[in-house]
């Protein structure tokens, strides 16, 4: 781990903000309550903890030094299942130790003992406090949940892991959809707060899936009367040639990802009825021209494959009582050479426009296999190191370094062409 920060500040941040607060040795951080007679001043249903000072490398008892080893004892409330908290085969406990290699964590009964350097013990104790709250909400713990929680705590974000991981959007057939990262939580909050929201980020960050969940939630809550899902029918760098069948059969493959997400959120047998009634509409972007969409939750997926003209056409379909979410990845543009992606320039176009929010997700928000995040970062590094000329990269870029827009509102490749 990185070197611990200023010790008093670290203790205030980790112990003081946690329900698992140390007792009288060392002194309580500012803002903590003094334990009453025979016990703690905390609520009886909350976890209790005690901290015992050890010695630092110089042997000075209780010295306020980062290398001081301490023991922190946590008493888990009786209503919290220790089996759920520790995980199958103590997998959650092992994940906590893996996240803090210098810390030893042991559990016996409803007590957990954390031993190690004071800074690491403070963070590990706060992590366990957050995990207790997650278990209390009924959310299942896993090694992945622990890893993401550690990332949130060490990044010193404003959102607590328990706030992110217990924020339920939608439940269907025993499955609950919720954000898994701070970035995803901000994205969901932006959808709630704004009429038009752009979710921009790499594959696997949940841009479309979370937007779909919010759309179904809004429909079930009768905030809107219908859902409109659309995406451009653009081939991913391939030439498929003539496709047999009806028009519907030709365009269905392009819309299949949207149907797949719907099946996760709505009973499959009810989807055909909702589509037939017009409550849910799944259509290619070309079908949006000339329409005004009132009282609807509208999602444009794969927006990086819209031209600037198509983006303008889509945004101007917004009617009364409607909400729009536009998702895309500017590093995977499949438009023909020479065509500017509407998603790449839209933030500059809409600068200063009220009630429009841009959310940028990163590789840290990827919720697929861990390799996906590493692959995205690897492509980004390769793109920067190769420094390919703009005339070679065109619109078919795979990295993120050269795909952004400038403050002047033009893509970098256009600026470079203008400079030659």
């Amino acid at each position: 781990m990185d070197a611990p920060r200023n010790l008093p500040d670290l203790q205030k941040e980790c112990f003081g903000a946690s329900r698992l607060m140390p007792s009288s040795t060392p002194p309580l951080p500012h803002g903590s309550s003094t334990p009453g007679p025979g016990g703690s001043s905390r609520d009886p249903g909350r976890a209790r903890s005690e901290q015992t000072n050890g010695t630092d490398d110089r042997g000075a008892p209780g010295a306020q030094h980062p290398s001081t080893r301490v023991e922190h004892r946590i008493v888990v409330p009786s209503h919290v299942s220790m089996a759920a908290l520790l995980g199958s085969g103590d997998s959650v406990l092992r994940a906590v130790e893996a996240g803090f290699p210098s810390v030893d964590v042991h559990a016996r009964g409803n007590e957990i003992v954390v031993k190690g350097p004071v800074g690491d013990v403070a963070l590990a104790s706060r992590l366990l406090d957050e995990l207790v709250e997650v278990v209390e909400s009924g959310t299942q713990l896993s090694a992945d949940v622990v890893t993401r929680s550690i990332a949130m705590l060490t990044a010193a974000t404003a959102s607590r892991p328990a706030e992110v991981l217990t924020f339920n959007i939608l439940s269907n057939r025993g499955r609950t959809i919720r954000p898994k990262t701070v970035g995803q939580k901000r994205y969901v909050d932006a959808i709630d707060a704004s009429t038009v929201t752009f979710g921009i980020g790499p594959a696997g960050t949940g841009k479309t899936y979370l937007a779909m969940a919010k759309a179904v939630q809004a429909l079930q809550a009768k905030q809107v009367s219908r859902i409109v899902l659309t995406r451009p029918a653009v081939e991913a760098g391939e030439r498929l040639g003539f496709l047999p069948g009806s028009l519907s059969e030709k365009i269905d493959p392009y819309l299949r990802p949207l149907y797949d997400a719907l099946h996760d959120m709505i009973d499959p047998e009810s989807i055909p009825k909702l589509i037939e009634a017009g409550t849910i509409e799944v259509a290619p972007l070309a079908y949006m021209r000339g329409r005004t969409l009132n009282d609807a939750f509208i999602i444009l997926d794969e927006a990086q494959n819209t031209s600037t003209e198509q983006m303008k056409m889509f945004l101007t379909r917004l009617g009364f009582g409607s909400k729009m979410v536009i998702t895309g990845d500017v590093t995977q543009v499949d438009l023909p050479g020479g065509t500017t992606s509407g998603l790449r320039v839209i933030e500059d176009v809409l600068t200063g426009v009220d009630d429009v929010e841009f959310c940028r997700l990163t590789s840290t928000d990827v919720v697929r296999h861990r390799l996906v995040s590493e692959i995205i970062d690897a492509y980004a590094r390769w793109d920067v190191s190769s420094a390919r000329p703009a005339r070679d990269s065109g619109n078919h870029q795979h990295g993120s370094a050269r795909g952004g827009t400038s403050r002047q509102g033009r893509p970098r490749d256009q600026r470079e062409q203008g400079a030659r």
Side-chain angles (χ1 to χ4, degrees), residues 70-188:
V70 297
E71 177 180 303
H72 199 71
R73 189 177 303 274
I74 301 164
V75 180
V76 179
S78 58
H79 66 274
V80 175
S81 167
M82 290 299 293
L85 179 62
L86 302 180
S88 175
D90 288 348
S91 59
V92 172
L93 207 60
R94 301 287 79 82
V96 172
E97 289 186 318
F100 300 95
S102 61
V103 169
D104 294 323
V105 185
H106 302 282
R108 174 175 292 181
N110 69 328
E111 290 189 355
I112 301 177
V113 178
V114 185
K115 299 179 182 179
V118 62
D120 290 351
V121 168
L123 280 172
S125 299
R126 184 177 174 191
L127 169 66
L128 288 166
D129 187 33
E130 296 288 332
L131 296 181
V132 167
E133 192 169 337
V134 172
V135 171
E136 286 178 324
S137 74
T139 302
Q140 185 175 359
L141 293 183
S142 65
D144 181 66
V145 169
V146 174
T147 301
R148 295 186 185 281
S149 298
I150 293 173
M152 294 180 208
L153 290 175
T154 55
T157 59
S159 298
R160 293 171 45 233
E163 292 175 344
V164 174
L165 299 172
T166 61
F167 184 85
N168 297 338
I169 301 174
L170 191 68
S171 295
N172 182 52
R173 290 176 291 174
R175 179 180 181 182
T176 301
I177 299 172
R178 58 174 66 91
K180 295 183 178 181
T181 69
V182 173
Q184 288 189 348
K185 176 63 162 54
R186 290 172 182 161
Y187 175 49
V188 170

Side-chain angles (χ1 to χ4, degrees), residues 345 347-349 351 405-412 414-415:
V345 300
E347 188 167 2
D348 292 303
V349 172
T351 297
T405 59
S406 70
R407 293 184 181 275
Q408 289 76 27
R410 292 191 298 167
R412 286 189 179 88
Q414 289 186 1
R415 298 203 313 276

Side-chain angles (χ1 to χ4, degrees), residues 121-352:
V121 168
L123 280 172
S125 299
R126 184 177 174 191
L127 169 66
L128 288 166
D129 187 33
E130 296 288 332
L131 296 181
V132 167
E133 192 169 337
V134 172
V135 171
E136 286 178 324
S137 74
T139 302
Q140 185 175 359
L141 293 183
S142 65
D144 181 66
V145 169
V146 174
T147 301
R148 295 186 185 281
S149 298
I150 293 173
M152 294 180 208
L153 290 175
T154 55
T157 59
S159 298
R160 293 171 45 233
E163 292 175 344
V164 174
L165 299 172
T166 61
F167 184 85
N168 297 338
I169 301 174
L170 191 68
S171 295
N172 182 52
R173 290 176 291 174
R175 179 180 181 182
T176 301
I177 299 172
R178 58 174 66 91
K180 295 183 178 181
T181 69
V182 173
Q184 288 189 348
K185 176 63 162 54
R186 290 172 182 161
Y187 175 49
V188 170
D189 289 343
I191 293 175
D192 285 333
S194 304
T195 299
V196 178
T197 305
F198 288 83
I200 303 172
T205 51
K207 305 180 299 295
T208 303
Y209 199 80
L210 291 174
M212 294 277 285
K214 292 299 295 182
V216 174
Q217 180 194 50
L219 181 67
Q220 292 179 347
K222 301 188 184 303
Q223 297 171 354
V224 296
S225 61
R226 57 177 170 160
I227 298 173
V228 178
L229 310 173
T230 185
R231 66 185 331 199
V234 176
E235 298 163 352
E238 301 174 82
R239 299 298 179 189
L240 301 181
F242 174 77
L243 295 175
S246 64
L247 179 61
S248 175
E249 292 171 332
K250 292 176 189 290
I251 64 176
D252 271 357
Y254 296 102
L255 305 174
R256 177 51 52 189
L258 301 179
Y259 284 111
D260 291 343
L262 275 179
H263 278 76
D264 282 350
M265 302 171 192
I266 300 177
D267 293 333
E269 58 272 15
S270 65
I271 292 177
K273 299 176 183 178
L274 292 171
I275 292 176
E276 184 178 355
T279 304
I280 296 178
E281 179 182 350
V282 185
L285 181 59
Y287 284 24
M288 298 296 110
R289 187 172 295 278
R291 302 178 63 184
T292 300
L293 302 173
N294 294 317
D295 196 26
F297 198 116
I298 312 150
I299 299 174
L300 170 59
D301 189 31
E302 297 290 326
Q304 75 274 7
N305 288 327
T306 62
S307 65
T308 53
E309 294 81 9
Q310 287 176 316
M311 180 64 77
K312 178 182 178 182
M313 179 273 291
F314 173 77
L315 292 174
T316 53
R317 302 308 96 196
L318 182 66
F320 296 106
S322 291
K323 187 181 287 283
M324 277 185 171
V325 179
I326 300 93
T327 69
D329 178 2
V330 293
T331 70
Q332 297 195 44
V333 177
D334 301 306
L335 292 170
T339 303
T340 299
S341 168
L343 187 61
R344 283 185 174 164
V345 300
I346 191 61
E347 188 167 2
D348 292 303
V349 172
L350 298 182
T351 297

